[in-house]
Amino acid sequence: MADKKPGEIIGSSNVLDRPEVLQDYAADTSFAPRIKPSCIVRPANAGEVQAIIKWANETGTPLVPVSSGAPHFRGDTVPGVEGAVIVDLSRMKKIIRIDPVNKLAMVEPGVTYGELQPELEKEGLCAYMPLAPRGGKSVIGSVLEREPVTMPSHHWDSTDPLLCAEVVFGSGDRFRTGEASGPDTVEEQWEIDRVQINPFGHSHVDFQRLIAGAQGTIGIVTWATLKCCYLSSVSRALLVPCDNIEPLIELIYKPLKFRLGGKLFILNGLNLACLLGNSPGEIQKLINALPSWVLFASFEGYGILPEEKAAYEQADFVAMAKSCGLKPQTAIPGAKAEDVAALLCKPSPEPYWKTRFKKGFQDVFFLTTLDRTPDFITAMYDMAKQCKYPPDNIGVYIQPVVQGTSCHCEFNLYYDPSVESEAAKQLVSAGSEKLAGMGGFFSRPYPAWKDSAYRNAAGTLAVQRKIKEIFDPNGILNPGKLCF
Amino acid sequence: MAWQDYTHDMQRCTRCSYCKWIPYRYMQNTDFMQGCPSLSRYNWHAYAASGKFNMAYSLLQERIEIDDTFLDVLYRCQMDGSCDISCKVQQDLEPLQLMQELRIKCVEDGHLIPEHMIVIDGLRKEDNMMMAKKTERGKWAEGLEVKNLTEESAEVVYHVGCRYSFDEELWPAARGGLQLLLDAGVDVGIMGREEACCGGRAYELGYLGEIVKYAEHQTETFRTAGVKTLVTPCADCYAAFKVLYDKIDRKLGIEVLHITEYLDRLIKEGRLKLNKAVPMTVTYHDPCHLGRLGEPWIHWEGKEYKVMGQMIVHDPPKKFRRGAGGVYEPPRDILKSIPGLKLVEMYRTREYSWCCGAGGGVIDAYPDFSTWTGAERLKEAKAVGAEAIVSACPWCKRNFLDAVKESGEKIEVYDIVELVQKAVD
Amino acid sequence: MKLSQEEYGALEEIVGAEHITQEPVILDTYNQVWGNKFFFDAKHSVRPAAVLLPADTREISEIVKTCNKYGILFKAFSSGFEYLSLSLVHPKGILLDLRRMNRIIEIDVKNMRAVVEPYVSVYRLQLEAARHGLYTGRIGVGYSAGVIATECCHHGCQHTMVFTSGYGRNILGVEWVLPTGEILNMGSGEGGGDRFSADGPGFSLRGILRGRTGANGGHGVITRVSVKLYPWYGPPQWRQTKQPGEAPSMGQLEKVPDGYRVFVPSFNNLDDTLDASQEMCRAEILCAFGIAILGTTPFFEGNDEEWAAMQKMGGSSVQSFDPAGGLTVANSTVCIIGYQSPRELEYREKCLRAITEKWGGKFSPEFNEPRALARAFADMMWSNGVNLRATGDFLPSSSSPDGSPAMLKKLALEEAEVKKRYEEAGAFLALGSGARLVSWRPEEHLSIGAQGISTAQYDPYDPDSLKAARAFIDELFDPRSPFNRYGVPSRGGCLQIEPVTHIHQNWGHMYDNYDMWLKKIKKMLDPNTVGDWTAYIPPEYPDYAKDGDYVLPSYGKEEQL
């Protein structure tokens, strides 16, 4: 295999090496250093992925798997070393199977939310989605990144909605996780109603946990089964405005405890404005109209009594809000709940919502508990001032995860890339350092903050490196990412 | 049954560890969930009833010998039966009986605990378990006008037992019980200096011969005295006379009652009136020998067979003693009839009660363990807000008094008779 | 075997003389547990060389380092109620009895988590959590089962999994003494922070902590866990007391507690039962759920009492377990609803009744009278324990993997045909008419499938019954059998002794060579192989007798004392 070139393995038309294309993959909007790949390969199936990995092992070629289309934001899909080959999985676009009874979908890595969601809807299902992902975002990419979904009551585990997966490890071995493992092909498994639904194992290892959050350093996933939700036949939504975040935090704990309701999260006024507005001018108008903080809650009606489900959930939520002295509403100055709800079952319309305000943005996010978010917000604003970055340009998104036992706390730094990059870059660096020092758990260590993330994780780092040696002994998968 | 006859039980002990706890259905407070003092104190699994099953099976298989460790594990146990009750919630096994048979075997084979030897030596010489002079027995009743059953007969014999006879600090309760009967017009007498040990504690230590001897002696004594009913304020004696004598086929042949049963009867018949207020918050400690160990003996002889393929049943059906038939309500009814008295219950009561710590020879051979066990019970009493802990056995009272001294816990210790006395005009 | 003076001394130095023993009398109380006879042909498994009672993580770390130095095998356990808790590969091994590590470190009520040490039992946490309106799922094996054993080390199936999940899904933080003696704190707790996430940074080491089953002590000692808690809708405290007409030793609730409702619908046939069950689970209205395992009837004091009652019922007791018998136990489900408001109750009850009606179900008075419902509630929400009384033992495992309800139905019916042969031969407890029961436990509102349930009860001291039990397991565990497409039996190592039943060695190559990866992970974590692997995996397979590629079962073991 070593003497073959990628083109001989997957066909030369699926190998891209034009300079302008290489430039596109050399960098993204993060501040990761620009490193040009040697080429981009675009396999069509798992066999080709495996062949490429085997070739990479033999030739010592670093591989960088990418499943989502551009633009990329976090630095994880930019080569970490010279001479890398990008493995662009966007050709693998099959929606292999949708199972409306067991509420799951089996997809290849190139499938985007925009492609999957309409197909799911035909079967009465809906994808668990992150907040308004960009159009080219790969479903598997998002899930493997452990991006939080907007429905915490259904988020039992950090890997949700991932069920099973087929992966080619860095060693070149193909493997199917969980219930997907076995002597049969998946088609043969379907004959006996094995539907690749149970994620555990097999046996004493939860293999799917080793590929989720790994930024492609352990293996390349060639398909995955994903939990889906029922498509609501009735949906209600409410917005809860507040000048301060603390009352909203007090409120949000209540439905979370009882797993009540559907989509549930908090945004500051800026972020809600960016979601709803289509231009900088519109966004600015909305900023002026919207309250400082807004909690969004939806109540999804499906099953045998959909109206009743949505109705009682909404009524109970209103009672909870009342006990906190808050008033949920279907509309607030600047926003209607149903307009927000409409954005949540599909990718962000173009342009991507985070680019509308100032074109540029950087995300800083980590995990914490809801009760600590006010402290982190204050700290971030203070850091912004120190970095001479206007705090008013920071969007905040609080997403409860794992049924409310923690939350994804995200700061979106909006800036004009032509003049404000330095301040943004400084704030990303200093801010993440500060927040990590306060106990913010940077569980997804993208290049911008991986040093902070691993500073207090020496034990984890040591074991991860040993695991890496097992599954990718030659270290060819995405070197330079995580702690590798 | 000999110890080897429990092979079925040894084999079927699954190590579920229920013997270590009170049954979960009765757990109320996580600080007071444990049932077995031995295991709670010493931690090794051997100290639990399951451990005794394991030890016995290993002994049977000749994998181990009876050595000092064996004896230590076997005898650092109050034989209180908590394990037995908990085990039987889930199983048809007899852990307490197996432990009893192991003790008998140890004694028969000459594996003796030195401290017990001294006590038994005293028993053999002086007919009591207190290493006291027989001639001193009966002093507790000096001054009381009561029939001497060596000289006259009565309907009822009031048998105080060895602890009450010789523990002077406890005499008021012993005297009080008798006085209450007398004041209620009961035709009662005592054996006085001629009262002998019931043999129950000796049996628990493994001395089978002693209990047989005393059972025969007592039967003859009471027959001669012409009594119809035995009343005792000592729970140990109660269990010996009522349960153990029946077990060894030496039934006493007369009615056996604990003082609480008799007083309860008197109160309900109107013959004993409790009119004076006793403003106190108390909690009642169920003595093991009045409660779960006081449940009547059930004789069974038969065979095991299988139904539905493999379910193990017996012919005739075998009824297991699971503790519910002990004396629990009469003492409580008495306390509830005392004006002004507030009764609060501890978390482990009735057949799931935590032992006072004195039984099984522990107070003689391992006094620190005995006191520790009692102190644990006092903590529980305090935890439910009691000012006083009330029991119905001199061994319990003695051990609680010692535990108060040792631990410094601020709580009063009463026998139930003393509270009844306070309530009587 | 005895440790050398130097070895023993080194361990004694760590825990103190009072907390280590090599007395044979005590050692032999650490190697007798149900299931031993099945695997080892004796109630005794290998006698440990010593048993220790460590006080804390530091001591455990030192002990493990000492084991590495001297090549001593070790294994830790909490209740030790599984034979694989106490099994050792060879006699130069020590057991760590974690009884002294029994603290509930914290219950964070707002963020719904509890941090506990190894000896904290599930029921104790349930009692404590209830005071704060919180709950941890009910474990099948009895109330002395430990939280850490359940969540991290062993199996972790919960009867309440429809709502409370299981199998390690609730782990939010872990402190782990690795087989090298190093201490690893996973996730947000590593830097000294609160333990709200065990995942990362990067990929989660929960992946190697456990899978469908834990390592059963084979890769170190878990000394602390942070677990997700769920809402408890009931009162902060409750009393179970003796009830008239009930076995006195089995306290009962007077009624289903406020905050909960229990319903037991019955259906006309198995298909309707299973279809209704699926719909109810996916309706997201349940806190607990069971098929054909009701807990509605009074408990009997003992086997004789139970037999007497069954004889009174006559043939109807047998028919009640027949799925072909209409509205029987086999076609009944226990559905427990919790509610935090009257509106929620109204909706959930209406939903349940609508689904019941849709599938032709009825609420039979026998199963739905208040006492029956109270019994079912207590049985389902708090652990009753396995019924080992009936025959003395139950089978370590059958195949019972996880998956879709449709798959589990297929497998259950096929497996029941095999079990029926043994029941008809009198080798197993035969509850019913030989009818084939189908039951499964839903996980997370069925969103990740369900767990298949299958047990058989046998008498290990009846040679024919024991022989039959082994033959039955051998049939299911043989990768050449017709069941080999449904999943690795024993859930890939949940209840098996690898040196005896060789699951990994026989099945690994058929299931994506998972065993190869397991071996590498074991070797990585435990370079000196001091973590006992009887219920995990060795770094290399020893030489076992084979029949072609199939490794023959190795029941029984000669032990030199």
Side-chain angles (χ1 to χ4, degrees):
Chain A
M1 186 74 81
D3 53 355
K4 285 193 174 192
K5 293 211 167 100
E8 295 170 68
I9 300 170
I10 63 167
S12 54
S13 60
N14 297 312
V15 179
L16 310 176
D17 57 9
R18 294 192 324 274
E20 60 273 23
V21 175
L22 297 181
Q23 286 297 344
D24 284 343
Y25 283 87
D28 62 11
T29 63
S30 75
F31 298 115
R34 174 174 283 275
I35 300 180
K36 227 168 49 170
S38 62
C39 68
I40 292 94
V41 297
R42 303 179 72 226
N45 52 56
E48 290 186 356
V49 169
Q50 190 173 23
I52 288 169
I53 289 179
K54 284 188 172 156
W55 166 82
N57 271 283
E58 286 162 12
T59 56
T61 306
L63 300 176
V64 180
V66 177
S67 45
S68 299
H72 300 107
F73 306 127
R74 302 210 173 109
D76 53 322
T77 52
V78 171
V81 298
E82 297 284 349
V85 167
I86 303 284
V87 181
D88 183 337
L89 301 161
S90 57
R91 276 181 73 205
M92 294 174 69
K93 272 205 170 295
K94 286 206 214 79
I95 297 173
I96 301 167
R97 180 171 178 269
I98 293 175
D99 184 337
V101 172
N102 292 296
K103 294 164 65 195
L104 60 86
M106 180 187 254
V107 300
E108 287 188 332
V111 174
T112 65
Y113 285 106
E115 291 159 348
L116 178 61
Q117 183 59 20
E119 298 306 312
L120 289 177
E121 286 178 10
K122 291 176 193 167
E123 302 286 348
L125 297 175
C126 183
Y128 289 107
M129 290 178 65
L131 179 64
R134 68 181 193 281
K137 185 72 190 181
S138 148
V139 177
I140 284 183
S142 173
V143 167
L144 289 179
E145 284 175 52
R146 296 199 307 247
E147 273 201 308
V149 298
T150 54
M151 207 153 155
S153 56
H154 286 201
H155 195 235
W156 300 81
D157 183 275
S158 63
T159 51
D160 276 353
L162 179 64
L163 295 172
C164 304
E166 179 183 70
V167 56
V168 184
F169 291 127
S171 58
D173 293 288
R174 224 153 116 175
F175 190 85
R176 289 172 297 175
T177 71
E179 200 211 336
S181 175
D184 296 340
T185 63
V186 293
E187 291 83 2
E188 286 166 343
Q189 290 178 356
W190 299 336
E191 288 168 11
I192 55 169
D193 292 304
R194 284 187 71 198
V195 296
Q196 302 85 36
I197 188 173
N198 195 267
F200 306 120
H202 251 82
S203 191
H204 305 285
V205 171
D206 262 350
F207 291 90
Q208 88 280 16
R209 296 191 190 282
L210 302 180
I211 54 177
Q215 296 177 25
T217 57
I218 297 295
I220 296 180
V221 170
T222 53
W223 59 252
T225 46
L226 308 163
K227 282 192 198 181
C228 299
C229 188
Y230 284 127
L231 185 67
S232 303
S233 54
V234 171
S235 186
R236 299 175 182 210
L238 290 171
L239 297 170
V240 187
C242 196
D243 292 332
N244 301 302
I245 195 174
E246 285 84 349
L248 295 181
I249 296 296
E250 190 196 336
L251 168 57
I252 206 170
Y253 271 118
K254 293 179 187 295
L256 284 170
K257 178 177 177 183
F258 297 106
R259 284 63 171 158
L260 182 83
K263 300 173 178 86
L264 184 67
F265 53 85
I266 295 172
L267 297 172
N268 71 347
L270 171 57
N271 260 357
L272 185 54
C274 289
L275 262 177
L276 293 171
N278 289 310
S279 67
E282 261 184 48
I283 291 169
Q284 191 56 59
K285 254 200 201 157
L286 286 167
I287 290 169
N288 295 338
L290 287 168
S292 303
W293 298 97
V294 179
L295 181 152
F296 173 86
S298 81
F299 313 99
E300 307 296 333
Y302 44 75
I304 201 166
L305 299 170
E307 272 287 354
E308 286 89 334
K309 178 178 189 295
Y312 105 78
E313 286 185 356
Q314 181 176 327
D316 275 1
F317 177 78
V318 169
M320 289 172 179
K322 197 171 166 187
S323 74
C324 296
L326 294 165
K327 257 173 111 174
Q329 293 159 61
T330 53
I332 58 175
K336 285 197 203 147
E338 63 183 6
D339 291 340
V340 179
L343 294 171
L344 300 179
C345 280
K346 52 186 186 223
S348 163
E350 293 301 319
Y352 179 50
W353 68 277
K354 291 183 185 174
T355 63
R356 296 176 197 163
F357 185 36
K358 283 180 161 284
K359 288 215 163 45
F361 74 93
Q362 296 292 328
D363 295 337
V364 176
F365 51 78
F366 54 94
L367 296 179
T368 181
T369 49
L370 287 156
D371 50 352
R372 291 212 61 206
T373 50
D375 292 338
F376 285 112
I377 293 166
T378 303
M380 192 62 174
Y381 288 162
D382 287 344
M383 286 306 303
K385 288 177 194 151
Q386 283 182 43
C387 296
K388 298 193 182 3
Y389 182 97
D392 286 350
N393 288 354
I394 300 178
V396 183
Y397 165 40
I398 309 288
Q399 178 61 64
V401 294
V402 191
Q403 296 179 317
T405 53
S406 59
C407 71
H408 166 95
C409 181
E410 179 173 314
F411 299 107
N412 311 107
L413 314 184
Y414 299 113
Y415 66 102
D416 178 349
S418 62
V419 293
E420 293 171 317
S421 289
E422 199 46 45
K425 184 177 180 182
Q426 224 192 338
L427 183 54
V428 168
S429 174
S432 54
E433 186 75 33
K434 168 82 178 169
L435 299 170
M438 286 172 65
F441 181 48
F442 284 79
S443 63
R444 297 160 60 196
Y446 293 104
W449 53 70
K450 67 182 175 111
D451 291 341
S452 305
Y454 277 105
R455 188 160 299 126
N456 286 325
T460 297
L461 186 154
V463 177
Q464 283 181 337
R465 284 184 175 158
K466 290 178 188 170
I467 292 173
K468 171 81 163 164
E469 280 170 22
I470 292 172
F471 291 96
D472 182 21
N474 293 321
I476 52 117
L477 287 180
N478 220 354
K481 303 297 172 359
L482 298 190
C483 52
F484 307 127
Chain B
M1 276 170 74
W3 70 283
Q4 301 96 319
D5 296 329
Y6 291 93
T7 302
H8 164 119
D9 289 20
M10 298 174 211
Q11 289 169 337
R12 286 181 173 78
C13 170
T14 58
R15 208 181 196 280
C16 71
S17 297
Y18 283 21
C19 50
K20 300 175 183 175
W21 312 91
I22 64 170
Y24 96 91
R25 290 171 180 274
Y26 299 104
M27 290 175 181
Q28 296 175 65
N29 183 306
T30 57
D31 289 334
F32 302 106
M33 293 163 66
Q34 301 199 82
C36 174
S38 310
L39 177 84
S40 302
R41 180 79 174 83
Y42 298 108
N43 287 311
W44 301 112
H45 182 74
Y47 287 91
S50 170
K52 308 295 191 299
F53 275 135
N54 297 161
M55 282 160 55
Y57 199 58
S58 290
L59 191 65
L60 196 70
Q61 308 251 304
E62 294 177 0
R63 292 170 59 99
I64 58 170
E65 291 172 348
I66 297 178
D67 58 10
D68 286 346
T69 306
F70 192 105
L71 291 175
D72 190 86
V73 172
L74 185 62
Y75 279 98
R76 274 185 203 267
C77 164
Q78 284 90 352
M79 296 291 280
D80 57 279
S82 167
C83 54
D84 194 75
I85 301 305
S86 290
C87 175
K88 285 167 175 171
V89 171
Q90 282 281 118
Q91 294 276 27
D92 288 342
L93 302 178
E94 295 277 10
L96 187 65
Q97 299 314 315
L98 179 270
M99 295 196 290
Q100 179 65 66
E101 294 302 324
L102 281 177
R103 288 183 173 210
I104 291 171
K105 174 188 171 49
C106 284
V107 168
E108 279 172 0
D109 291 355
H111 301 290
L112 307 174
I113 304 293
E115 292 85 351
H116 293 169
M117 285 166 65
I118 299 170
V119 169
I120 295 297
D121 195 50
L123 175 69
R124 286 171 181 159
K125 290 180 180 148
E126 305 290 340
D127 289 333
N128 70 76
M129 293 290 285
M130 296 290 291
M131 295 180 287
K133 287 276 169 225
K134 187 181 168 129
T135 48
E136 301 292 301
R137 195 158 191 150
K139 274 205 149 126
W140 65 273
E142 272 175 9
L144 291 176
E145 285 183 26
V146 60
K147 284 182 182 176
N148 181 341
L149 291 174
T150 60
E151 291 161 9
E152 29 181 346
S153 44
E155 287 283 314
V156 175
V157 55
Y158 183 71
H159 176 100
V160 290
C162 302
R163 171 54 65 176
Y164 266 137
S165 291
F166 297 103
D167 191 337
E168 201 171 326
E169 193 181 352
L170 306 183
W171 283 357
R175 292 165 66 87
L178 179 56
Q179 195 62 57
L180 286 168
L181 296 180
L182 289 167
D183 291 345
V186 176
D187 180 22
V188 59
I190 63 174
M191 294 305 298
R193 202 165 73 170
E194 294 309 311
E195 184 184 278
C197 181
C198 63
R201 182 58 55 82
Y203 175 70
E204 275 185 0
L205 303 190
Y207 292 84
L208 176 59
E210 268 54 38
I211 192 174
V212 172
K213 179 179 108 180
Y214 283 102
E216 288 170 354
H217 168 81
Q218 300 287 16
T219 304
E220 183 55 33
T221 302
F222 298 139
R223 191 193 63 75
T224 306
V227 298
K228 303 274 188 310
T229 302
L230 180 145
V231 174
T232 177
C234 173
D236 270 48
C237 295
Y238 173 77
F241 289 129
K242 179 142 185 158
V243 181
L244 295 180
Y245 284 14
D246 189 359
K247 179 183 177 185
I248 59 170
D249 291 320
R250 302 286 195 283
K251 240 176 140 167
L252 207 50
I254 58 174
E255 186 185 30
V256 175
L257 294 171
H258 187 265
I259 186 73
T260 53
E261 293 179 288
Y262 207 94
L263 292 179
D264 182 50
R265 201 187 270 182
L266 292 176
I267 293 168
K268 285 174 175 148
E269 288 172 1
R271 292 163 64 190
L272 180 58
K273 293 199 193 316
L274 309 183
N275 291 323
K276 271 170 72 175
V278 183
M280 209 190 297
T281 301
V282 307
T283 191
Y284 176 68
H285 165 83
D286 291 281
C288 303
H289 290 86
L290 184 59
R292 55 183 170 247
L293 300 180
E295 195 175 38
W297 186 255
I298 301 174
H299 290 275
W300 180 85
E301 209 175 295
K303 62 176 175 39
E304 188 182 285
Y305 70 107
K306 288 194 179 166
V307 298
M308 294 193 294
Q310 289 294 329
M311 186 155 103
I312 299 161
V313 293
H314 302 89
D315 178 31
K318 187 175 180 183
K319 191 111 180 75
F320 286 77
R321 295 163 70 233
R322 301 182 204 263
V327 177
Y328 304 114
E329 297 318 311
R332 286 173 168 82
D333 287 347
I334 292 171
L335 291 171
K336 285 175 196 164
S337 348
I338 296 177
L341 194 81
K342 183 177 170 195
L343 174 64
V344 292
E345 293 279 13
M346 285 186 281
Y347 301 111
R348 297 171 291 188
T349 63
R350 295 176 173 78
E351 63 262 47
Y352 314 112
S353 189
W354 176 265
C355 179
C356 74
V362 170
I363 198 171
D364 304 298
Y366 314 105
D368 58 330
F369 174 38
S370 182
T371 314
W372 175 88
T373 307
E376 290 295 302
R377 190 55 156 168
L378 296 180
K379 277 186 208 161
E380 191 177 352
K382 292 288 286 188
V384 297
E387 299 164 71
I389 186 167
V390 185
S391 190
C393 174
W395 296 91
C396 295
K397 182 166 179 186
R398 166 46 56 206
N399 211 48
F400 287 142
L401 286 172
D402 290 349
V404 163
K405 234 184 282 184
E406 187 71 27
S407 66
E409 199 73 75
K410 291 195 175 12
I411 188 166
E412 305 274 349
V413 180
Y414 288 103
D415 187 276
I416 196 169
V417 162
E418 293 170 296
L419 292 184
V420 173
Q421 280 188 290
K422 282 181 189 292
V424 168
D425 286 320
Chain C
M1 76 168 280
K2 260 183 119 103
L3 296 175
S4 73
Q5 218 169 343
E6 184 184 323
E7 289 162 346
Y8 190 84
L11 294 168
E12 189 180 53
E13 178 87 27
I14 299 166
V15 295
E18 194 189 333
H19 299 119
I20 181 172
T21 185
Q22 54 181 359
E23 294 292 335
V25 166
I26 297 182
L27 298 179
D28 254 17
T29 66
Y30 282 94
N31 58 354
Q32 298 184 54
V33 60
W34 72 273
N36 273 3
K37 190 85 164 67
F38 178 90
F39 288 102
F40 309 118
D41 242 351
K43 185 143 191 264
H44 297 87
S45 57
V46 168
R47 177 189 283 178
V51 182
L52 287 73
L53 289 159
D56 54 35
T57 306
R58 186 201 61 80
E59 284 191 2
I60 292 174
S61 170
E62 292 302 311
I63 289 166
V64 172
K65 286 176 183 163
T66 305
C67 288
N68 273 276
K69 181 176 174 186
Y70 293 109
I72 302 170
L73 212 57
F74 76 89
K75 179 183 278 186
F77 66 91
S78 59
S79 76
F81 184 32
E82 301 275 34
Y83 48 84
L84 42 78
S85 317
L86 307 180
S87 56
L88 290 169
V89 177
H90 59 70
K92 191 177 177 183
I94 62 171
L95 293 174
L96 308 186
D97 181 340
L98 299 178
R99 229 187 104 77
R100 294 170 69 206
M101 296 176 68
N102 62 355
R103 292 179 303 156
I104 294 177
I105 308 288
E106 70 158 340
I107 295 179
D108 184 330
V109 178
K110 234 195 310 202
N111 295 302
M112 297 176 286
R113 66 171 186 267
V115 181
V116 301
E117 287 188 329
Y119 203 71
V120 173
S121 65
V122 169
Y123 191 64
R124 179 169 159 212
L125 184 55
Q126 286 178 331
L127 279 175
E128 281 302 328
R131 297 186 201 293
H132 305 287
L134 294 169
Y135 178 74
T136 186
R138 182 272 213 216
I139 189 67
V141 78
Y143 60 82
S144 40
V147 174
I148 285 183
T150 299
E151 298 283 349
C152 305
C153 304
H154 182 44
H155 189 195
C157 79
Q158 299 181 356
H159 291 220
T160 49
M161 282 197 296
V162 66
F163 186 54
T164 61
S165 197
Y167 301 120
R169 293 273 279 184
N170 295 317
I171 296 172
L172 301 176
V174 162
E175 179 182 77
W176 179 2
V177 178
L178 299 173
T180 51
E182 294 158 278
I183 301 171
L184 174 67
N185 270 287
M186 282 166 33
S188 58
E190 189 166 6
D194 291 336
R195 293 177 198 271
F196 55 80
S197 170
D199 304 309
F203 60 85
S204 178
L205 297 184
R206 282 165 73 193
I208 58 167
L209 173 70
R210 65 161 295 151
R212 181 58 180 76
T213 179
N216 300 313
H219 65 24
V221 187
I222 309 304
T223 50
R224 212 167 266 210
V225 74
S226 172
V227 292
K228 191 204 303 180
L229 298 175
Y230 290 80
W232 168 250
Y233 298 89
Q237 290 176 284
W238 55 85
R239 295 289 306 273
Q240 296 195 71
T241 53
K242 298 182 185 7
Q243 301 291 335
E246 303 269 1
S249 64
M250 308 273 190
Q252 298 286 346
L253 294 172
E254 281 184 19
K255 62 180 184 81
V256 173
D258 291 338
Y260 286 96
R261 287 278 194 279
V262 182
F263 302 90
V264 184
S266 306
F267 301 87
N268 292 303
N269 54 64
L270 183 63
D271 283 339
D272 286 348
T273 305
L274 297 179
D275 286 335
S277 296
Q278 288 185 60
E279 192 164 344
M280 282 204 256
C281 293
R282 293 195 180 105
E284 300 165 22
I285 56 174
L286 301 174
C287 291
F289 177 78
I291 306 174
I293 302 168
L294 304 189
T296 46
T297 48
F299 290 97
F300 299 103
E301 291 277 30
N303 282 358
D304 286 316
E305 287 85 348
E306 190 164 354
W307 176 233
M310 293 183 102
Q311 285 183 294
K312 247 197 206 164
M313 285 172 68
S316 62
S317 77
V318 157
Q319 280 156 20
S320 73
F321 289 98
D322 187 350
L327 299 177
T328 65
V329 169
N331 293 331
S332 301
T333 61
V334 171
C335 306
I336 300 183
I337 282 175
Y339 58 94
Q340 44 81 25
S341 75
R343 277 185 286 258
E344 187 159 73
L345 172 62
E346 190 187 333
Y347 164 73
R348 289 180 170 180
E349 181 172 348
K350 197 172 170 187
C351 206
L352 184 141
R353 289 186 183 280
I355 295 171
T356 301
E357 194 181 316
K358 176 178 168 182
W359 295 101
K362 297 201 173 2
F363 296 94
S364 106
E366 181 196 343
F367 298 145
N368 286 278
E369 56 90 11
R371 290 243 33 81
L373 298 178
R375 285 182 216 115
F377 180 86
D379 183 51
M380 192 65 83
M381 299 299 282
W382 304 310
S383 183
N384 216 11
V386 283
N387 183 2
L388 289 161
R389 184 188 71 205
T391 66
D393 215 332
F394 83 107
L395 272 176
S397 185
S398 55
S399 59
S400 302
D402 303 77
S404 72
M407 184 272 270
L408 293 172
K409 176 189 168 187
K410 275 195 172 71
L411 175 61
L413 293 175
E414 287 178 30
E415 205 177 280
E417 286 299 321
V418 178
K419 196 162 99 175
K420 195 167 148 180
R421 274 191 269 118
Y422 294 93
E423 288 177 355
E424 283 171 350
F428 295 164
L429 177 68
L431 265 180
S433 56
R436 299 172 302 160
L437 281 179
V438 177
S439 189
W440 39 255
R441 292 194 190 111
E443 298 157 0
E444 298 179 11
H445 299 316
L446 272 182
S447 65
I448 57 173
Q451 178 215 345
I453 307 165
S454 174
T455 57
Q457 289 170 277
Y458 76 107
D459 179 356
Y461 293 92
D462 176 328
D464 292 332
S465 187
L466 175 62
K467 190 172 170 196
R470 286 178 178 165
F472 176 59
I473 290 295
D474 288 349
E475 273 195 67
L476 299 180
F477 280 26
D478 189 335
R480 303 165 296 190
S481 81
F483 301 103
N484 68 3
R485 299 170 65 199
Y486 286 103
V488 181
S490 184
R491 301 176 179 90
C494 166
L495 282 167
Q496 69 116 9
I497 297 288
E498 182 64 16
V500 176
T501 40
H502 313 296
I503 278 201
H504 301 316
Q505 203 168 355
N506 281 325
W507 288 75
H509 64 94
M510 291 172 59
Y511 278 74
D512 295 50
N513 295 310
Y514 75 83
D515 64 319
M516 175 190 78
W517 301 108
L518 272 187
K519 285 197 280 175
K520 291 185 181 190
I521 289 168
K522 166 69 170 171
K523 200 168 177 79
M524 175 268 287
L525 288 170
D526 187 9
N528 296 324
T529 316
V530 286
D532 179 82
W533 55 266
T534 47
Y536 188 42
I537 191 158
E540 297 301 335
Y541 292 124
D543 227 344
Y544 294 116
K546 285 185 177 177
D547 169 17
D549 284 336
Y550 174 60
V551 185
L552 294 163
S554 320
Y555 295 108
K557 196 171 174 59
E558 290 286 338
E559 183 192 352
Q560 298 292 328
L561 282 179

